[in-house]
Amino acid sequence: MKGFNSILATSVALNAVATCASVLTPRQSSLPTVSVKGNAFFAGSNRFYIRGIDYQPGGSSQLADPIADAAGCARDIPEFTKLGINAVRVYSVDNSVNHDSCMNALEAAGIYLILDVNSPLYSINRQDPAPSYNAVYLQSIFATIDAFAKYSNTLAFFSGNEVINETTASTVTAPYIKAVTRDMKQYIGDRGYRQIPVGYSAADVTTNRYETAEYMNCGTDDQRSDFFAFNDYSWCDHSSYTQSGWDQKVALFSNYSLPIFLSEYGCNTNTRNFEEVASLYGSDMTPVYSGGLVYEYSQESNDYGLVNINGNSVSELPDFTALQAAYKNTSMPTGDGGYKSSGSPSNCPAQSDTWLPGTDALPAMPAGAVTYLNNGAGTGPGLKGNDGAGSQNAGGASSGTATAGSGQVTATGAAASGSTSTGSATASKAAAANLHMPSMSLAPFVCGVVVVLSSMLGATLVL
């Protein structure tokens, strides 16, 4: 019996050690972070093309955060894998909850997130933008950045989506959208996060699309977007690169110095065969475009869905099969795709009958939001808001015009609160922020206790 007890004791201790070894093994990120070089995205040293879908089950009528729904992610990620995508776009999230489960599952599947930071209650009001650009609004935007900056598979943030539409009057919102982009970039830098790209998603509007692109790429570096995206439904099968007019858009943007991609595409006027996929990832377009996102994953009232969702089950629709085949028949581009490694900012568009902003001046960050740069935004209000009222009429709006260059990063992280850093010091801190360090947990201490107790139990059994 004593010999049996010795064997049992050894087994108990070894099992405890083995269990702890698996807990203590640091989880390594399987995906490199994506950055901007010239007019393209890169994952490490490799050109990165967005090959993804728009993902917001329930749409705006049943608004919910899909990245906080672990069961929904477990249901849908296998479908993403079957399609062979590498990115999803989500339009609204709850910035008051944890997203580890879904973000880790997406990362394990090789999928990045492109995230809109606005929500219905916290957004710029197209009809009256000035009051809606306020400190309460920016607190929510910054809290969303806080919630997702830690994930290596957060690819990019959208500062706005289709705020400027087909009406000329809506172009007065452009300075406020651009101010939000500036503020987001400064917050990311001042909080010591890696340089997550920030840009705008424009509507499928011919009258002001190019002016919007120019405007988002003009001015000082702190004001300029990191990329430009637009929604495009002009290719309706059966069509072609020239018949759809895509060749003209490529020519128009041929000298644009930022990465461009389609934030929505997939006209459903006719049966969708997704013939445009071959062109989008072909040599005609890769020097200018970096891929795109098909609209959309789940079937909603507008009939663009790839799948029907019923509780925890999914049924694939004909569009799913068509897109899957289009991706399968179109290899991802190799090499650098003919991208431009450098370029110049755009000239700000002149005021016209279709473009109202007459200067490149931007509103200053609201005074109440400046404190967040050093102290952080705190807990986000979520999709329902702290009081259900949201931010658009919360008060505390901008009270002046910003000085060009005022959005430059001046501090890095909480440790830099109350001080400024420029030149090599800022660069060094930014480089340090890109280092991936395993997060600390109680696991080592718990495992130590387990091993000690197991050894004591073994000693007792031997005696």
Side-chain angles (χ1 to χ4, degrees):
M1 180 63 72
K2 190 173 182 178
F4 172 77
N5 284 346
S6 297
I7 295 172
L8 178 60
T10 302
S11 176
V12 168
L14 288 175
N15 282 337
V17 172
T19 300
C20 287
S22 66
V23 172
L24 289 171
T25 301
R27 180 181 174 279
Q28 297 297 319
S29 172
S30 61
L31 293 178
T33 58
V34 173
S35 59
V36 171
K37 296 180 183 179
N39 74 333
F41 294 109
F42 278 78
S45 60
N46 299 315
R47 174 87 186 267
F48 182 85
Y49 299 89
I50 295 167
R51 193 166 182 148
I53 56 177
D54 299 307
Y55 179 55
Q56 193 83 40
S60 58
S61 61
Q62 302 177 41
L63 190 62
D65 180 355
I67 308 301
D69 181 1
C73 288
R75 174 196 65 209
D76 296 331
I77 290 176
E79 299 296 318
F80 300 163
T81 303
K82 289 176 68 174
L83 284 173
I85 63 173
N86 63 15
V88 293
R89 175 192 185 179
V90 173
Y91 294 84
S92 290
V93 292
D94 185 336
N95 56 19
S96 67
V97 300
N98 184 275
H99 299 88
D100 287 354
S101 179
C102 282
M103 288 300 291
N104 291 339
L106 286 169
E107 182 189 33
I111 297 171
Y112 292 86
L113 173 68
I114 301 171
L115 181 61
D116 291 69
V117 296
N118 292 275
S119 68
L121 287 178
Y122 295 85
S123 57
I124 296 295
N125 185 339
R126 183 185 294 121
Q127 280 71 43
D128 192 13
S132 63
Y133 174 63
N134 58 52
V136 174
Y137 166 67
L138 288 176
Q139 189 274 335
S140 178
I141 300 304
F142 295 161
T144 300
I145 292 173
D146 289 340
F148 286 90
K150 63 181 178 179
Y151 303 115
S152 63
N153 57 328
T154 297
L155 193 161
F157 292 121
F158 280 129
S159 58
N161 174 54
E162 294 191 335
V163 184
I164 301 169
N165 60 19
E166 70 277 0
T167 65
T168 300
S170 68
T171 64
V172 300
T173 63
Y176 298 94
I177 300 165
K178 193 168 179 175
V180 174
T181 300
R182 174 203 64 202
D183 297 345
M184 290 173 64
K185 291 174 63 175
Q186 185 174 11
Y187 185 80
I188 288 169
D190 277 12
R191 297 308 298 158
Y193 298 136
R194 65 180 173 89
Q195 289 185 312
I196 304 169
V198 179
Y200 177 66
S201 172
D204 187 7
V205 177
T206 304
T207 53
N208 57 41
R209 181 193 299 117
Y210 191 66
E211 287 84 354
T212 302
E214 287 183 308
Y215 187 77
M216 298 304 170
N217 188 32
C218 73
T220 54
D221 286 347
D222 61 306
Q223 299 172 343
R224 297 169 57 224
S225 292
D226 296 317
F227 63 86
F228 182 73
F230 60 91
N231 305 332
D232 192 336
Y233 294 92
S234 58
W235 185 312
C236 299
D237 291 330
H238 177 64
S239 188
S240 69
Y241 178 58
T242 54
Q243 184 180 345
S244 64
W246 280 25
D247 61 329
Q248 299 172 31
K249 293 169 186 171
V250 170
L252 182 66
F253 284 103
S254 61
N255 291 317
Y256 197 67
S257 61
L258 300 180
I260 291 174
F261 66 93
L262 299 181
S263 40
E264 295 177 7
Y265 75 93
C267 169
N268 69 349
T269 300
N270 306 317
T271 299
R272 298 206 290 183
N273 296 315
F274 296 102
E275 297 168 351
E276 65 265 51
V277 166
S279 289
L280 185 58
Y281 300 98
S283 58
D284 286 332
M285 298 188 69
T286 57
V288 179
Y289 284 49
S290 292
L293 300 153
V294 169
Y295 190 81
E296 67 181 319
Y297 177 69
S298 58
Q299 182 73 303
E300 310 298 340
S301 59
N302 52 14
D303 200 31
Y304 280 91
L306 302 177
V307 303
N308 265 322
I309 296 176
N310 183 13
N312 289 323
S313 65
V314 170
S315 57
E316 296 167 2
L317 297 171
D319 284 0
F320 183 98
T321 305
L323 182 60
Q324 185 181 37
Y327 282 152
K328 184 178 180 180
N329 294 330
T330 305
S331 299
M332 288 292 274
T334 58
D336 66 18
Y339 91 108
K340 293 180 177 63
S341 60
S342 61
S344 301
S346 301
N347 293 320
C348 292
Q351 191 175 46
S352 68
D353 291 340
T354 58
W355 187 259
L356 296 182
T359 72
D360 57 357
L362 303 181
M365 181 185 290
V370 174
T371 183
Y372 303 135
L373 299 176
N374 285 330
N375 301 323
T379 304
L383 288 173
K384 296 182 179 179
N386 293 323
D387 55 7
S391 65
Q392 291 192 354
N393 298 301
S398 175
S399 58
T401 301
T403 302
S406 62
Q408 294 287 353
V409 174
T410 56
T412 305
S417 177
S419 64
T420 59
S421 302
T422 58
S424 60
T426 299
S428 299
K429 290 178 180 177
N434 283 324
L435 294 175
H436 180 77
M437 301 294 291
S439 57
M440 294 294 292
S441 73
L442 293 176
F445 308 104
V446 173
C447 286
V449 172
V450 170
V451 171
V452 171
L453 291 177
S454 298
S455 300
M456 293 173 63
L457 173 60
T460 302
L461 289 172
V462 171
L463 293 172

